[in-house]
Each structure stands twice: as structure tokens, then as C-alpha cells.
Amino acid sequence: MHEIGRIVVIKLPGVFGIDMSITNNVLLLWLAAAIAFTVLTLAFRRKEPVAHGTFQNLFEGLYQFIDDNVSRDNLGPGAKAWTPLLASLFFFILVGNLLGMVPDPHHFKAATSNLSVTVGLAIMVYAIVITVDIRIHGLKGFLRKFVPEGLPRGIGLLVAPIEVISWLAKPVSLAVRLFANMMAGHALLLIFISLQVTALWYLKALPLVGAVAMACFELFVCFIQAFIFTMLAGMYISDALAAQHATEGAK
Amino acid sequence: MDGLSFDSGLMVWTWITFAILFALLARFTFKPLQRLLDQRERAIRDSLEQARLARMEAEAMQKEHAEKLAQASNETKQIIAEGHRIVAQMKNEARDAAKREAANAMTQARADIDREVQRSMDDLKNTVATLSFRIARQVIKTKLDETEHEKLANDFVDRLKKTNVARKTA
């Protein structure tokens, strides 16, 4: 038993040398987006001041969880404007993660267990961070943060590359963390299921117990990883908005 | 390990997909939801404020009622005390009136008794005088005039009275 590979569903012409063909991975992304949009729209279809039912309460709770713990805690007074973006990110990653829990490894896998997807999301978050940073503090202010204030020029030139590497490590860690967690979790789950198929009859129960335990843990990991990615995105945006940085830029 | 091989097309599709999802969610889902949540937050805040005001009002009313109750209790105590006082006064007045009435009745009775005694004495005196006169006429067979006769009778009565008084004191 093995995970499904890359399958081209519709061959499309390349754009700037990039193969834009619709693959099974793209379809998984679309499925994740479609499920996220449908479920959230259904959950919030009632426009009444009082929440109705468990379904609406659950998703309202998740939205407010992102609003309280990611937006307001990190982004301060203007947090409300960022909540839709962060909530979209959270729900998209969450559904993308949960696709890996569908017990059909021949057709489904976590949309986020692909490095291209997580790198894409991390680059997108960092593009937003850089845009916000430059828009608020200017290009000069943005570049100044790579040279810590008060250092002699010689040491400053040495420190600057380290700062750049440290700054670039953030989106890399953001992408790799999500990818590695989803990949590893689902790989383990697949191993347990494969063991269950191939094990001797009197040992078949052991991998089954392991697979059930792993599935429960993986469900938890799906939520946690979506939250961590969103939380870190919020923190990076918050860094870009920080007033301290603004004063450094002004100097 | 298909996930590790980098697919730039998939990365671009990730951006496009997320951008569309974000646009749709922001427009059709999160915007109305945020409005709803704001409305709910306002409603809850207003309700809390109203509840706070109502509680303050209730506390003020409770305080006022307690004061009124205390005042009413004091007034009741005063009224009861006044009632007791009036009842005691009325009792005293009734007792005094009864005493006065009894004294008056006693005085009146004494006066009546004295008057009746006096009248009886006068009747007796007349009767004794008449009888004495008759007896004396019968005894002495002489004729006395009215004046002498009356003087004689009066002397007799006076002596009789003195005899009675002396008997009573003895």
C-alpha cells in the first residue's frame, strides 16, 4: 500500500516556463477550498444575532478562536481587519490537513503533505509580511532591520547576512514544519495500515490498535498544525506592524 | 515521496486557489459573520449595561424600601406606644370618672338619706306631738293652747334625739 503520486488530469500549456497542468494535487487543493467554503457558508448561513445549533456554534467558536488568539493577541487594535485572512488560512489548511484522514489512500491524501503547497503558503504569507512592512515603514525602514542599530560598520556587514538568513529561515521553517508533520503523520498511518494487511493473523490486532491511536493523534495534529501555521503568520504580520520597528526605520 | 518533489505549478495553483477562497470567504461568509458577531457583541454589551443599570436601580429601590420599612416600623412602634398611652390615659380617666361618679352617688345618697331621716324625724316629731297632745289631753283633761303644746312636743323630741345620740355613742 503506498500514497498516490502526481497524476496529470488536464494538460495545460506552461506560463513563464511553469507547468500549469491540473494534477491530482491541484484537485485536492480545489477540493479543500470547496469544502472549506461550503461548510463555512452553510455554518454561517443564518443571519440572526443568536447562534443556532452545534454546527454554527462550532464554526463560530473556531472563527472567534482565531480572532481572539491569533488576531487580537498579536495584532492589537487593527486586528479585526486581519481576521478574515487568518481565518481563511486556518480553515484552508485545516481542511487540507483533514483530507489526509479520508480512509482511501489511493485517491486522497493531505493537500498540505506536499512541499510545493506549504512553500506556496509560506511564500504567500511572507509576501504579505514584506508588503505590509514596506508599506508602513518604507523600503529603507524594511532594509534597516537587517543591520542592528549601534553596531560598528564592519561588524554590521558581518551581522547583516546572518540576519537575512535568520529572516529567511522563518518562512522555510513555516513551510517545512507543516509539510513534515502532515507527511510524517500520514506516512506513519499508512505504515500501520500496511502492517495490518501484511501481518500474521494473530498479530493483526496490534497494527490496528496502533493505526486507530495514530488516527486520533493525527486528527489532533491536523488542528494543531493549522493553528500553528496561522498563529506564526499572525506573529510575522504583527512584527511587520510593530511600532518599535517603525521608530528604527524613522531613525 | 511525491510530496518532496517541488512542483512550481502546484505552488502557483496554491496561490490562485487560496486567493479565490479568501475573496469568496471574505465577501460572502466572514463579512456578514463579522457584522453579526459585532451586532451580537454590541447586544451583549448593551444587555450587560442594562442589567448593570437595572441592578443599580434595584439596589436603590431595595435601599429605599428598607428605609421606608424601617420608617414604617418606627411609625408603627410610635403608633402602638401612642395607643398604649391613650388606652392608659382613657383607663385613668374612666377610673377617675367612675370614682367621681361613685363619690357623687355616695354624696347624693347620703344627702338623700339625711333628707329622708330629717323628714322622718319631722314626721315623727309631728306624730309624737299629736300623740302627746292627745295623750296629755286625755291624762290631764285640760286644754292646752297650740303654742304651748308645740313647745312641749319639741322639747320632748329634742330630749328623744339626745337620748338616741347618747345611745349610739355608747
Side-chain angles (χ1 to χ4, degrees):
Chain A
M1 194 173 283
H2 58 85
E3 243 186 29
I4 185 172
R6 180 178 186 269
I7 300 166
V8 176
V9 180
I10 301 170
K11 181 76 184 162
L12 290 178
V15 180
F16 302 116
I18 299 170
D19 180 13
M20 293 299 289
S21 298
I22 309 297
T23 62
N24 56 335
N25 295 324
V26 176
L27 289 180
L28 281 172
L29 276 182
W30 288 356
L31 183 63
I35 291 173
F37 178 71
T38 310
V39 168
L40 289 173
T41 307
L42 281 175
F44 303 139
R45 71 186 185 283
R46 291 181 193 226
K47 305 286 185 277
E48 290 163 28
V50 180
H52 287 276
T54 315
F55 191 51
Q56 188 177 353
N57 271 318
L58 173 71
F59 284 96
E60 264 190 30
L62 282 172
Y63 182 84
Q64 288 201 306
F65 178 70
I66 298 297
D67 189 35
D68 290 341
N69 295 289
V70 181
S71 296
R72 289 179 201 228
D73 282 2
N74 290 315
L75 299 164
K80 203 177 270 183
W82 291 98
T83 306
L85 175 74
L86 294 168
S88 301
L89 199 59
F90 173 77
F91 285 112
F92 182 53
I93 295 171
L94 177 65
V95 178
N97 291 349
L98 288 172
L99 282 180
M101 300 303 293
V102 178
D104 180 8
H106 293 297
H107 297 96
F108 291 96
K109 62 179 177 179
T112 46
S113 66
N114 197 309
L115 194 60
S116 311
V117 174
T118 58
V119 166
L121 289 172
I123 288 175
M124 185 188 73
V125 167
Y126 244 58
I128 293 167
V129 168
I130 293 166
T131 309
V132 169
D133 208 331
I134 292 175
R135 197 169 166 185
I136 292 176
H137 310 114
L139 185 62
K140 215 173 169 183
F142 168 68
L143 292 173
R144 263 183 199 278
K145 72 176 170 185
F146 297 114
V147 185
E149 207 182 357
L151 285 178
R153 184 170 287 184
I155 298 174
L157 285 172
L158 279 173
V159 169
I162 299 170
E163 285 287 329
V164 171
I165 291 166
S166 144
W167 185 77
L168 284 174
K170 287 178 183 173
V172 173
S173 70
L174 198 61
V176 172
R177 183 185 299 109
L178 178 59
F179 161 71
N181 273 287
M182 299 326 296
M183 182 77 177
H186 291 109
L188 259 175
L189 204 54
L190 274 177
I191 290 167
F192 275 119
I193 293 168
S194 306
L195 274 176
Q196 212 271 327
V197 173
T198 56
L200 294 169
W201 67 268
Y202 52 87
L203 292 174
K204 275 186 188 294
L206 288 176
L208 187 68
V209 171
V212 170
M214 195 63 209
C216 293
F217 181 66
E218 205 45 30
L219 207 62
F220 172 68
V221 170
C222 289
F223 277 91
I224 283 292
Q225 287 306 319
F227 176 66
I228 288 173
F229 194 98
T230 314
M231 173 67 111
L232 288 171
M235 285 170 73
Y236 296 153
I237 294 169
S238 152
D239 281 350
L241 292 166
Q244 192 188 350
H245 182 192
T247 53
E248 280 175 16
K251 283 175 188 173
Chain B
M1 285 285 170
D2 165 57
L4 274 172
S5 56
F6 195 75
D7 180 356
S8 49
L10 181 59
M11 188 174 72
V12 175
W13 277 120
T14 305
W15 295 338
I16 295 169
T17 309
F18 181 76
I20 293 169
L21 175 69
F22 170 58
L24 288 174
L25 283 177
R27 172 74 185 82
F28 297 109
T29 309
F30 291 149
K31 202 173 172 182
L33 174 69
Q34 193 59 55
R35 212 167 30 232
L36 196 73
L37 292 177
D38 288 345
Q39 192 183 337
R40 191 184 300 166
E41 196 176 318
R42 262 198 312 278
I44 290 169
R45 201 180 299 128
D46 288 351
S47 301
L48 285 174
E49 182 61 23
Q50 278 175 1
R52 194 181 65 82
L53 289 174
R55 196 182 59 198
M56 281 172 66
E57 201 176 330
E59 279 174 1
M61 279 174 74
Q62 196 181 12
K63 198 176 168 186
E64 194 183 335
H65 285 169
E67 281 171 5
K68 277 185 180 171
L69 201 65
Q71 197 180 341
S73 176
N74 284 339
E75 278 177 11
T76 309
K77 279 178 189 166
Q78 282 175 0
I79 288 167
I80 290 170
E82 182 70 14
H84 281 309
R85 196 184 61 74
I86 288 168
V87 167
Q89 191 182 351
M90 282 172 76
K91 266 186 187 172
N92 287 338
E93 281 176 5
R95 194 169 52 223
D96 291 348
K99 274 182 184 172
R100 269 197 312 276
E101 211 167 305
N104 286 340
M106 189 76 86
T107 311
Q108 184 70 37
R110 274 186 189 142
D112 287 349
I113 289 166
D114 287 347
R115 201 165 44 248
E116 284 302 315
V117 167
Q118 188 62 42
R119 201 178 64 200
S120 302
M121 291 299 284
D122 289 346
D123 285 350
L124 184 64
K125 192 171 73 179
N126 289 334
T127 308
V128 167
T130 309
L131 282 175
S132 308
F133 177 70
R134 279 181 190 167
I135 292 166
R137 199 168 53 184
Q138 285 290 325
V139 173
I140 62 175
K141 298 284 187 187
T142 55
K143 193 179 176 183
L144 292 176
D145 63 348
E146 280 293 316
T147 315
E148 282 180 0
H149 176 251
E150 195 172 341
K151 191 176 172 287
L152 197 66
N154 284 342
D155 289 343
F156 177 75
V157 169
D158 288 340
R159 271 200 310 273
L160 195 66
K161 272 183 187 172
K162 281 174 187 167
T163 312
N164 274 343
V165 169
R167 200 179 292 156
K168 275 180 187 173
T169 51

